[in-house]
Amino acid sequence: MANMSPIKVKIPEQEPTVRNKNFKEVALGYTDEMAVEEATRCLQCKNAPCVKGCPVNVQIPKFIKKITERDFDGAYEIIAETNSLPAVCGRVCPQESQCEGLCVRGIKNEPVGIGRLERFAADYKMQKNDKPIPEIKTNGIKVAVIGAGPAGLTCAGDLAKLGYSVTIFEAFHVPGGVLMYGIPEFRLPKKIVSTEIESLKKMGVEIKTNSVIGKLFSVDELFEDDFKAVFIGSGAGLPSFMKIEGENLNGVYSSNEFLTRINLMKAYQFPKFDTPVLIGKNVAVVGGGNVAMDAARCAKRLGAENVYIIYRRSEEEMPARTEEVHHAKEEEIEFKLLTNPVRILGDEKGSVTGMECIQMELGEPDASGRRRPVPKKGSEYIIDLDTVVIAIGQSPNPLIRTTTPGLETQKWGGIVADEQTGATSRPGVFAGGDAVTGAATVILAMGAGKAAAKAMDEYIKSL
Amino acid sequence: MYKIVKKEILNPTVTLMQVFAPDIAKKALAGQFIILRVNENGERIPLTIADYDRDRGIITIIFQIVGKTTKLLNELNVGDSILDFVGPLGIASHIDGYKKVAVIGGGLGTAIAYPQAKALYKSGCEVHLIAGFRNSELIILEKELHEVSNKTLIMTDDGSNGNKGFVTNALGQLIEEGNEYDLVVAIGPLVMMRAVCNLTKEYNIKTIVSMNPVMIDGTGMCGGCRLTVGGETKFACVDGPDFDGHLVDFDEAIRRSAMFKREEHDSYEEFCNLLNMEVQNDG
């Protein structure tokens, strides 16, 4: 008989007023006992609806069963069969709209804490430090992966397991992509990312950092260099701005710049690390996605007294995960909803002093199916600010598409790729992740990397 | 790791380094830049490629010691390595089709003006080179500048080389003497480039400037290097670093260049104090 508790076993967390002053991880993870107790809430459904919600097809009931048997190694092995970054996914996947969203227990009560259990198994294995290196029979065929983010790492891992000699080209000085520069330490400790990357290297994957494809080598030159297939997982790195007055004032950052300074360059440890970031007392983050939540929570941790989320729709339409919104609120981030920036104000030195905003109301549904926000006439008001972070989205970087003749792209810059295989308009060139979809999630990128690895294997075998 | 194969002190605050980076050297063109990081805790800074040697796989950089990172870089010697070295970034300068060009370098900007002058000169263009320095002790690349130009004018603010005046004085004079330039290239401090552009606007001579704002990735990702050109926001790293100087909003660029001044200063001071303490302890 399953444990019929209506709610998930609570995961220990740092207290909000403590954690909003440090960069240590918010959630501390289950103990063995907590994990076993939560695992017994799983009904072990034969048709396993949860698995259908997982972009990488993790065999969820099977691994949870192993946890109930206290066979944590066994649980890990089942996850690792299909998921190359379990410690990452357990933390940053939007489980509520994927596996947990389909959990039968979730119909009446809280679903099984699948993400928490995945994280538990992955952390258990990482702490034991005895992750097995799969035995690989190498075939010596060279394949290239562009970008060492979630899509590229997954694709590289799967190709390496199939025996290919994989080289990842990464533009930054460290691999990891958005896992390193975007998602903050308190949500995803960087040590976890680097441990996962180390295990890829042990499998024989070569990672060339400081290699900007499109500048240092073109995709065509990779083929000339005897790479038989190329996967493009270059992400959505191009920040969008609002094109309003005052956006170039000192103190206005794109979320990319703000988060990269903090996460990748470790500006929160300035001057121990050389890259600075300026915060001030009052910070506004414009946008309602996970990136906006991350930026706001970083600003609070860096000592800002008042941190506002400025979002033009209502909370219901917010694209951020419920958990992130909840955490942000706990950490005293103030939400100014149905509010849209009109212009940013500055002083004579060119530094931000405030932002004029206008209140919005919801009208008829728009193309996205969400009710369109419309400005309320005469409702303009000014917020005093020192820093503004623009977190309204990113689009794919043009460096690769402008240097790869024959590579078809969408009007907005995304690479055109087959949904099932990642195949592009160029034979042998595959693509996946945010470079194809525009800014989405880590797990969707991983799913795309996985599908492409399989298709690349088939393509090379057909040559 | 990228090995330093040559180091030359050009003046008390400016150093030339040749770095072994064969893949970058294969692709580098005049006007492009690299981004480097000296050590694990270091920041990423952009430096324009001053020269390249495809055969030997070498990139030349010339930098002024203005802060902690450049001071750390200057501590390295031949045989040492730079941790990260990325490039070639940015769009190469367009140098085709010009007949007579005035190339202007101000201070360290002369090191960036040099490869552009060289490329123009090699393309068969008549090059007049004007370089300005605060005083004669700070003059760099004098011999090299002569080699890539038909006429070379080295100016000093204080006249200590016998040629007192700003680069704008020299340019104005050359124009008044009847030299008809179809292009002016100006590279140096923002205030100098602004002054040159104000002058060339009067004579309606197309002017290209090279912008070098604060940046992190250098691939269009952070947007920290944005500037306004002809009323539109551009990223210096991917849309530049060369821009039509008559369209650049220099006042904004000057304000943005001061954004992290205090932090940069504090970081530099702290580092210098540490170095001094080490010297004292060693003593």
Side-chain angles (χ1 to χ4, degrees):
Chain A
M1 180 63 193
N3 164 3
M4 291 313 288
S5 163
I7 56 164
K8 294 177 185 176
V9 174
K10 233 173 120 51
I11 190 163
E13 284 176 354
Q14 278 196 76
E15 285 301 319
T17 51
V18 174
R19 71 179 191 240
N20 70 9
K21 292 171 192 69
N22 69 49
F23 273 80
K24 288 181 205 145
E25 196 172 13
V26 169
L28 306 170
Y30 279 156
T31 60
D32 294 5
E33 279 63 38
M34 290 173 185
V36 172
E37 190 189 337
E38 179 61 24
T40 56
R41 291 186 64 230
C42 175
L43 301 176
Q44 293 292 318
C45 308
K46 281 273 175 308
N47 60 347
C50 49
V51 179
K52 295 181 189 77
C54 176
V56 297
N57 216 24
V58 168
Q59 295 302 303
I60 294 162
K62 282 192 195 158
F63 96 74
I64 292 182
K65 181 136 199 294
K66 291 284 181 192
I67 293 179
T68 62
E69 293 162 1
R70 302 188 81 94
D71 177 5
F72 305 139
D73 290 290
Y76 174 83
E77 277 154 31
I78 289 167
I79 299 169
E81 274 172 23
T82 58
N83 185 347
S84 46
L85 305 170
V88 174
C89 290
R91 288 172 166 83
V92 303
C93 263
Q95 289 100 8
E96 66 278 8
S97 58
Q98 298 180 350
C99 52
E100 292 183 22
L102 297 171
C103 176
V104 172
R105 293 295 305 267
I107 298 170
K108 280 194 179 151
N109 298 302
E110 281 190 4
V112 176
I114 300 170
R116 295 172 181 183
L117 291 172
E118 180 179 38
R119 170 192 164 146
F120 166 79
D123 286 0
Y124 169 84
K125 199 67 182 174
M126 210 172 259
Q127 268 155 26
K128 265 179 78 180
N129 200 16
D130 70 340
K131 250 172 122 172
I133 304 154
E135 246 179 70
I136 294 166
K137 222 177 117 197
T138 53
N139 62 22
I141 299 170
K142 278 169 67 174
V143 289
V145 170
I146 303 170
L153 292 173
T154 306
C155 185
D158 280 18
L159 286 166
K161 280 182 205 159
L162 291 166
Y164 290 97
S165 162
V166 186
T167 307
I168 307 182
F169 297 92
E170 165 58 42
F172 263 127
H173 53 266
V174 288
V178 73
L179 308 175
M180 291 305 273
Y181 76 73
I183 303 175
E185 178 77 17
F186 56 84
R187 233 167 29 93
L188 178 64
K190 301 307 146 211
K191 200 167 169 286
I192 287 171
V193 183
S194 45
T195 309
E196 298 281 23
I197 289 166
E198 278 314 307
S199 46
L200 269 189
K201 286 187 187 163
K202 280 181 199 152
M203 279 161 56
V205 173
E206 190 190 352
I207 303 180
K208 287 197 171 165
T209 51
N210 298 328
S211 301
V212 183
I213 300 302
K215 286 290 179 190
L216 193 62
F217 312 111
S218 65
V219 167
D220 285 294
E221 284 168 322
L222 295 177
F223 282 107
E224 283 164 29
D225 198 20
D226 216 26
F227 286 98
K228 295 296 179 210
V230 175
F231 175 77
I232 304 170
S234 49
L238 207 70
S240 306
F241 286 92
M242 294 180 291
K243 297 196 163 74
I244 60 170
E245 188 188 323
E247 249 177 337
N248 290 355
L249 288 166
N250 291 357
V252 182
Y253 300 91
S254 73
S255 52
N256 270 356
E257 179 182 3
F258 188 70
L259 290 173
T260 301
R261 282 180 180 275
I262 295 166
N263 301 324
L264 182 73
M265 306 309 294
K266 310 240 180 289
Y268 64 93
Q269 295 183 56
F270 180 84
K272 187 184 162 204
F273 283 74
D274 295 338
T275 305
V277 69
L278 297 178
I279 290 294
K281 275 188 190 165
N282 302 305
V283 179
V285 178
V286 182
N290 289 324
V291 172
M293 300 306 134
D294 284 346
R297 296 169 72 194
C298 281
K300 191 78 192 179
R301 281 162 172 77
L302 286 164
E305 284 171 22
N306 301 299
V307 182
Y308 311 104
I309 288 278
I310 311 281
Y311 182 56
R312 65 199 180 113
R313 301 180 194 248
S314 71
E315 186 163 340
E316 206 176 307
E317 289 87 18
M318 239 185 205
R321 292 184 62 196
T322 322
E323 183 183 312
E324 302 309 327
V325 175
H326 169 73
H327 276 148
K329 283 184 178 166
E330 277 188 342
E331 290 169 16
E332 296 166 350
I333 309 295
E334 200 178 310
F335 284 66
K336 289 185 181 289
L337 304 170
L338 288 165
T339 303
N340 208 24
V342 177
R343 63 192 174 112
I344 303 167
L345 311 167
D347 60 16
E348 70 289 344
K349 283 186 191 153
S351 301
V352 170
T353 55
M355 186 156 70
E356 184 182 316
C357 293
I358 189 163
Q359 286 173 356
M360 311 290 278
E361 53 195 354
L362 293 178
E364 294 300 307
D366 63 12
S368 71
R370 298 179 297 181
R371 292 176 65 191
R372 184 195 302 276
V374 264
K376 267 198 235 172
K377 262 203 185 134
S379 66
E380 292 90 346
Y381 69 106
I382 287 167
I383 313 174
D384 290 340
L385 294 171
D386 304 289
T387 299
V388 176
V389 180
I390 315 279
I392 56 166
Q394 293 89 236
S395 55
N397 194 303
L399 274 181
I400 289 174
R401 71 167 185 264
T402 53
T403 55
T404 312
L407 187 70
E408 258 181 56
T409 52
Q410 315 273 5
K411 251 195 201 143
W412 51 268
I415 298 170
V416 176
D418 185 280
E419 257 184 56
Q420 306 299 320
T421 64
T424 69
S425 56
R426 283 275 309 261
V429 179
F430 297 75
D434 286 3
V436 170
T437 57
T441 61
V442 168
I443 189 71
L444 280 176
M446 289 176 60
K450 201 169 188 61
K454 187 166 167 271
M456 287 164 85
D457 178 46
E458 283 160 11
Y459 166 80
I460 291 168
K461 281 180 178 149
S462 76
L463 286 179
Chain B
M1 298 290 269
Y2 303 80
K3 201 169 227 174
I4 297 161
V5 295
K6 184 181 168 187
K7 179 182 179 183
E8 194 184 327
I9 310 294
L10 299 184
N11 78 28
T13 62
V14 176
T15 301
L16 173 150
M17 271 183 186
Q18 289 190 339
V19 180
F20 187 64
D23 290 335
I24 303 175
K26 219 180 272 176
K27 284 289 177 72
L29 291 167
Q32 290 188 298
F33 65 95
I34 57 96
I35 281 188
L36 63 79
R37 204 167 67 114
V38 178
N39 61 28
E40 277 301 336
N41 291 7
E43 61 179 343
R44 294 167 64 101
I45 60 159
L47 289 172
T48 305
I49 295 170
D51 209 344
Y52 52 82
D53 183 331
R54 303 206 200 285
D55 298 333
R56 291 169 60 221
I58 283 167
I59 293 288
T60 304
I61 50 171
I62 299 180
F63 58 92
Q64 186 157 19
I65 302 151
V66 289
K68 182 175 174 185
T69 303
T70 42
K71 192 163 177 74
L72 272 170
L73 182 60
N74 197 50
E75 298 280 307
L76 300 179
N77 290 302
V78 171
D80 293 338
S81 289
I82 297 169
L83 182 61
D84 297 299
F85 204 75
V86 199
L89 301 170
I91 297 172
S93 303
H94 296 293
I95 50 151
D96 300 337
Y98 296 106
K99 291 195 183 71
K100 188 167 178 175
V101 177
V103 178
I104 302 168
L108 181 75
T110 306
I112 308 165
Y114 166 69
Q116 304 225 6
K118 187 176 166 185
L120 284 160
Y121 188 72
K122 272 191 176 170
S123 77
C125 173
E126 183 180 345
V127 175
H128 289 182
L129 217 154
I130 306 165
F133 301 93
R134 284 208 312 280
N135 61 55
S136 61
E137 273 182 21
L138 300 177
I139 295 172
I140 55 170
L141 301 175
E142 193 168 4
K143 184 173 135 275
E144 288 84 350
L145 296 178
H146 279 285
E147 284 168 4
V148 298
S149 56
N150 306 78
K151 187 195 271 282
T152 316
L153 285 174
I154 311 273
M155 312 297 292
T156 44
D157 296 0
D158 67 350
S160 51
N161 74 335
N163 213 5
K164 186 173 160 76
F166 295 125
V167 290
T168 38
N169 303 129
L171 178 65
Q173 202 180 334
L174 286 170
I175 296 170
E176 287 301 322
E177 284 168 9
N179 287 293
E180 287 187 13
Y181 300 113
D182 45 7
L183 177 71
V184 169
V185 177
I187 303 169
L190 290 165
V191 282
M192 183 215 89
M193 293 195 285
R194 180 173 62 183
V196 170
C197 289
N198 286 340
L199 178 68
T200 56
K201 252 184 219 168
E202 285 173 31
Y203 294 96
N204 203 17
I205 307 169
K206 183 179 174 185
T207 303
I208 292 189
V209 295
S210 178
M211 305 299 283
N212 190 25
V214 170
M215 51 178 82
I216 303 177
D217 60 295
T219 63
M221 204 196 96
C222 77
C225 66
R226 64 195 186 276
L227 68 163
T228 304
V229 182
E232 272 181 58
T233 294
K234 298 277 180 192
F235 291 0
C237 65
V238 287
D239 300 319
D242 290 359
F243 291 98
D244 181 340
H246 293 167
L247 299 179
V248 169
D249 182 344
F250 279 105
D251 296 344
E252 179 189 270
I254 289 166
R255 284 197 300 267
R256 286 187 65 82
S257 74
M259 186 156 162
F260 293 104
K261 228 169 207 149
R262 205 177 71 203
E263 287 68 26
E264 284 160 2
H265 174 83
D266 292 352
S267 173
Y268 185 48
E269 288 289 300
E270 188 186 287
F271 179 61
C272 291
N273 287 340
L274 273 175
L275 277 186
N276 286 339
M277 267 157 55
E278 271 174 32
V279 171
Q280 281 166 10
N281 290 342
D282 287 350

